[in-house]
Structure formats: C-alpha cells, structure tokens
Amino acid sequence: MLELENISKIYESGISFQALEDVNLSVADGEFVAIMGPSGSGKTTLLNVISTIDKPTGGQVSIGGEQPHALTSDKLAQFRRRKLGFVFQDYNLLETLTVRENIFVPMTLDGIAVTEMNQRLADIAPVLGIESILHKRTFEISGGQAQRTAIARAIIHEPELLLADEPTGNLDSKTARDVMELFAAVNERFGVTILMVTHDPKAASYSRRVIVMKDGTIARPDLRREKSQQEFFDRIIDALAELEQIQAELEQIQIEQV
C-alpha cells in the first residue's frame, strides 16, 4: 500500500535543516499505524511528504503502486481527491455548509451522482453516530461531532490511505477516546489503511503498530500490538521513556565535554 524508500527532506531557508534522513517505511493494505516522537522529530514532515503537501529532497514515495510526486499538478490533485483521505486536528470544515454538505465535498468535486453520495453516507453515518446532526451547520455541533464529520468526509470517497494529524489534539479525554474507537472501527469494518501522527500514547494504543521517530529518523524497531490494548499502551510508555532517557544521557555527555 505505502512504500517509502530512503526519504530525506532538507529545508533551505538561510541555514539548511535536515528534517528527514533516509526514512524507510512500509505499510500494508488495511494496517493502522501510528507515528510518534518528540517535537521536531520529523513526524509531521513525514506525514506532509506522504500526503504530497511537501516534496521529498530525496527518495521515493509509492502509494498503491503510484508515485504521486512524479505526477503533474492536475493529476496530483486528482490523486489526492481519489486516493487519500485527511483528518486534521482543527477539522477543516466549512462553516457555511451543513454536516451533510461538508461530507459530500470530495465526491462533489469528482462529479459523483447524488444518489450514490446518499447511499455511501447511509452506510457510514450509523457507524460514526452522526445521523442526527447531518442537517446542522458546523458551528452548531460539538468538537467530537466535528471530528466525526471530518472522519466521514475523509472516508466517504473510499480512499486507499487515510492520513490523520493529531486527530485528538483539540479534544477532551472522553471525546478523544470516542474518536479513537471510531478510527479503530473504521479500520476494522471498512478495511481503511490508516497512518496517524500523534503525541498521545493512549491514542497510539488504538493502532496496531507504532513507529517512534527522533531527529528525522526512525529511532527504534516498530512496536506491534500483540496482546491487550493496555499491554500495548504500557509498552509505548516504556519505549518513549527509554527514548527520553537516552536523550538526557546524550545531552549530559555533551555538557561534560564543553
């Protein structure tokens, strides 16, 4: 489904900064993978490269057998609409539209018939629990309902890959749990491949695999969920604590050498 080969990203703005260095990653069809790491680790840059918001300085991105960064601008716009779904921390919904109209935006751009749009919505609305708010405008719904709407919009056109950037960042703990349960349900029920960036270990524990980044590279072997969600959460916490300990020790060595 997703293949990254030796991805690097260098930003040139006065002083060059290498945000990603030789990142290799493979995500199988139907997987639910979380990317974690401290601020500045490169996780959001990696998501931006995969989503084609940013172009890699080196390496190759392949999604469903296609190389999106090699496409013309028109073909790339079509690729994004048809092959990718996006869920953001701030929802990115249009206040002038109803929930139903917001959800229909990707399919409207592709000229899909209204009857088909309504049928697809009828299939996913009960799973996401949004039937009762379809007629409302986005300023009339809660944050959790807005994120449910964003998830519906992201999956209604049946994308090959769903990309989520801190999807629980603006939510309270209960609503965040509800949203992550929805992500897990969408992954299991519809078989949608999900790649999610998060700083929250609890959110990450809903995935099936966690990738930890540091300084633009993958910092350790992947963590895979083998038993219960609680056991997976504990292993994620241990891995992050180990990473912080290593970082603290390196900083102490640098101080002693000065």
Side-chain angles (χ1 to χ4, degrees):
M1 155 52 60
L2 172 66
E3 295 286 341
L4 305 182
E5 297 181 18
N6 302 317
I7 295 297
S8 63
K9 178 63 181 178
I10 299 173
Y11 291 104
E12 301 282 359
S13 55
I15 300 174
S16 65
F17 169 69
Q18 181 146 18
L20 297 173
E21 182 177 3
D22 292 330
V23 175
N24 292 281
L25 174 63
S26 182
V27 177
D29 190 32
E31 268 201 287
F32 182 2
V33 178
I35 301 176
M36 302 193 73
S39 296
S41 62
K43 57 186 186 297
T44 296
T45 300
L46 184 62
L47 195 70
N48 288 343
V49 167
I50 294 167
S51 67
T52 73
I53 292 172
D54 267 348
K55 199 165 187 175
T57 306
Q60 182 173 290
V61 176
S62 176
I63 300 174
E66 292 190 69
Q67 296 174 21
H69 291 288
L71 298 174
T72 64
S73 57
D74 289 344
K75 292 282 189 182
L76 181 56
Q78 186 182 81
F79 178 88
R80 283 193 192 116
R81 288 201 310 270
R82 296 182 178 177
K83 300 296 181 72
L84 304 179
F86 301 92
V87 179
F88 302 98
Q89 181 175 341
D90 56 2
Y91 322 132
N92 282 9
L93 300 175
L94 301 172
E95 291 189 355
T96 56
L97 302 181
T98 65
V99 166
R100 180 190 299 273
E101 290 165 343
N102 266 282
I103 295 168
F104 283 169
V105 164
M107 294 190 296
T108 301
L109 293 172
D110 269 340
I112 294 174
V114 174
T115 52
E116 183 175 348
M117 289 195 284
N118 284 326
Q119 183 56 56
R120 291 192 191 180
L121 184 57
D123 291 339
I124 66 173
V127 178
L128 298 175
I130 57 174
E131 301 118 303
S132 64
I133 63 168
L134 292 174
H135 64 287
K136 293 185 177 182
R137 298 194 182 274
T138 55
F139 58 80
E140 299 177 299
I141 62 178
S142 69
Q145 290 171 328
Q147 195 60 294
R148 289 166 184 259
T149 301
I151 294 170
R153 181 188 57 189
I155 67 171
I156 196 165
H157 63 295
E158 300 172 351
E160 293 187 10
L161 178 63
L162 176 61
L163 301 170
D165 188 8
E166 299 285 5
T168 61
N170 286 334
L171 304 175
D172 60 68
S173 58
K174 180 187 181 304
T175 306
R177 184 182 68 244
D178 292 344
V179 166
M180 289 314 305
E181 288 174 354
L182 283 173
F183 269 97
V186 164
N187 173 247
E188 292 173 11
R189 179 158 178 178
F190 300 109
V192 177
T193 306
I194 302 175
L195 188 67
M196 174 183 70
V197 163
T198 182
H199 69 282
D200 181 3
K202 181 57 74 174
S205 71
Y206 284 86
S207 72
R208 292 289 171 177
R209 177 158 62 110
V210 170
I211 295 160
V212 181
M213 295 191 67
K214 178 180 177 293
D215 297 334
T217 63
I218 295 176
R220 50 157 294 128
D222 299 352
L223 294 167
R224 295 179 182 270
R225 184 170 170 179
E226 298 170 350
K227 299 178 182 177
S228 68
Q229 182 182 350
Q230 182 60 51
E231 185 267 348
F232 192 35
F233 172 75
D234 292 340
R235 287 171 55 217
I236 293 169
I237 292 293
D238 289 344
L240 294 176
E242 179 184 349
L243 192 65
E244 290 178 3
Q245 178 62 32
I246 292 171
Q247 179 64 31
E249 290 174 358
L250 288 174
E251 290 175 356
Q252 183 60 40
I253 291 171
Q254 291 172 347
I255 290 171
E256 291 173 352
Q257 289 177 341
V258 173

